Amino acid sequence: MALKLWERISQADNVFQSLRPLTYVSLVGLAPFQLNLNADKEVHTSMYSVVAGIVHYLFFVMCFAFSVHEDDSIIGYFFQTNITKLGDGTLRLTGIIAMSTIFGFAMFKRQQLVGIIQNNIVVDEIFVRLGMKLDYQRILLFSFLISLGIVIFNVIYLCVSYGLLISATISPSLFTFTAFALPHINISLMVFKFLCTTHLAQSRFNMVNEILQDILDAHIEQNNALELSPMHSAVNHQRYAHRLRNLISTPMQRYSVTSIIRQSPEYAIKQVANIHNLLCDICQTIEEYFTYPLLGIIAISFLFILFDDFYILEALLNPKRLDNFEADEFFAFFLTQMLWYIVIIILIVEASSRTIRHSSFSAAIVHKILNITDEQELRDRLFRLSLQLSHRKVSFTAAGLFRLDRTLIFTITGAATCYLIILIQFRSTHHLEESEGTNNTDYIQFD
């Protein structure tokens, strides 16, 4: 029974079935669409998901309002200073802004997400004309593994966080912990959507590269055959025969070989240009859909990393702020929280970087074909495609403020270090007054 159920779930023969894990996000309102697997095979918006998203957001606002009204926060359970109050207020403000942005774009920009899926369907139809088909089961497996990993990651994180609070004899209220947990869950779901959509584009860029590589392999084989013809000398014949034996003996990755691509490379290049144009439109739509939610996620991640570093440093420089039985739980709690946001940033950066990198492989293959082919019509098609590749490059930004690539990690590290030094300097200006008050309290206790 379980085996049959797994076989039915793991099967994927089209783009709709490969997106099955993404539809589960619609249960909480962050993916307001439904996939119809009937004859029309269309993507429609789901009113149930829209209602679920509104209810989900209102529930978060209610928990957030209760925690603010009670002046209750996680950091307040450990210690309170002027800087921690400032940091707590800043994190609350950015948190509500980030959540509003996430749900707002999920609701009001849902047609863009539907457009991304529909354009992928058009791209897959062009691949079918070329005699190629994507490995939908592999895409489905990727989505399942990512969704499972994110679920396990968040369950472990929230359980460990709650366990550390209980271990430190801290019992957070239901509204406070819910207001703490929901942003983490919704940020993870939004990142999961970004990973799925970028992987759709990335897998199709790989198919484009396979088609171009197949054309390149065909021309290399043709040139080798001409060089090994009887018109050449025996020395050249032996030299090229030795080269072919080395190629045969060396294991190489083989790409799909189809008669349409081999027999009509000009037609294949024309279709590749259409596919690349559609994929660039898909990536542009992905950027427009995720630009402000990712900006909010990265902003709140940066602030949490910054203030978590400061809280840990504050406790190390002034251990009297913490009781001895709370110190271990304090460090473990904020280290875990900081690592959670670091992982989120890495996932965003790697998803965009891998898509950009795979899209850039096509230009190198196109120019390799140009260097070895003399067919005028094919060269004309390749020149057009080369211009298109140079003018339509894939990139992802956060509202145009910064690029979502690996340089972002270096930028965040530098900025966090700079602001951490500023916070330490701000702390040192008030340290004398705080230390005098602490010393007076200590003397009273000893007496």
Side-chain angles (χ1 to χ4, degrees), residues 191-380:
V191 172
F192 171 68
K193 288 168 59 179
F194 182 70
L195 293 175
C196 287
T197 52
T198 52
H199 186 260
L200 291 177
Q202 176 188 328
S203 60
R204 284 152 181 81
F205 276 121
N206 288 336
M207 291 287 288
V208 169
N209 295 333
E210 289 185 7
I211 294 174
L212 295 174
Q213 185 67 39
D214 190 24
I215 297 174
L216 177 62
D217 290 343
H219 281 77
I220 292 176
E221 294 173 4
Q222 182 180 359
N223 290 342
N224 288 337
L226 292 175
E227 291 173 348
L228 291 175
S229 62
M231 298 178 60
H232 288 77
S233 63
V235 177
N236 289 335
H237 180 80
Q238 293 178 358
R239 183 172 63 205
Y240 287 109
H242 179 69
R243 182 188 302 176
L244 284 177
R245 284 195 299 269
N246 291 336
L247 291 174
I248 295 173
S249 61
T250 304
M252 296 179 61
Q253 180 182 4
R254 296 302 303 168
Y255 295 85
S256 60
V257 180
T258 58
S259 58
I260 298 177
I261 297 174
R262 291 287 179 113
Q263 293 178 2
S264 181
E266 298 85 2
Y267 173 77
I269 294 297
K270 180 181 178 180
Q271 296 300 325
V272 164
N274 293 333
I275 293 173
H276 181 268
N277 187 52
L278 287 172
L279 289 177
C280 289
D281 291 339
I282 291 173
C283 292
Q284 184 177 355
T285 307
I286 292 174
E287 181 183 8
E288 293 175 356
Y289 180 79
F290 288 98
T291 180
Y292 288 105
L294 290 183
L295 177 62
I297 291 172
I298 293 173
I300 193 173
S301 300
F302 171 76
L303 290 175
F304 267 100
I305 293 172
L306 173 63
F307 282 105
D308 287 345
D309 282 333
F310 176 77
Y311 297 153
I312 294 172
L313 186 60
E314 172 75 8
L316 290 174
L317 295 176
N318 194 5
K320 294 181 180 180
R321 293 192 182 278
L322 295 175
D323 295 332
N324 292 329
F325 64 89
E326 294 181 358
D328 294 337
E329 289 82 0
F330 174 86
F331 291 122
F333 179 84
F334 286 103
L335 278 174
T336 305
Q337 183 173 255
M338 182 176 61
L339 290 175
W340 189 91
Y341 283 100
I342 290 175
V343 170
I344 289 298
I345 291 178
I346 291 176
L347 288 176
I348 295 173
V349 167
E350 284 300 314
S352 58
S353 297
R354 286 175 63 86
T355 305
I356 294 171
R357 185 170 66 254
H358 285 278
S359 66
S360 63
F361 291 159
S362 302
I365 304 175
V366 166
H367 286 86
K368 287 180 181 179
I369 302 174
L370 279 171
N371 291 333
I372 64 175
T373 184
D374 295 327
E375 301 176 13
Q376 188 60 37
E377 184 178 356
L378 179 59
R379 290 180 64 87
D380 182 61

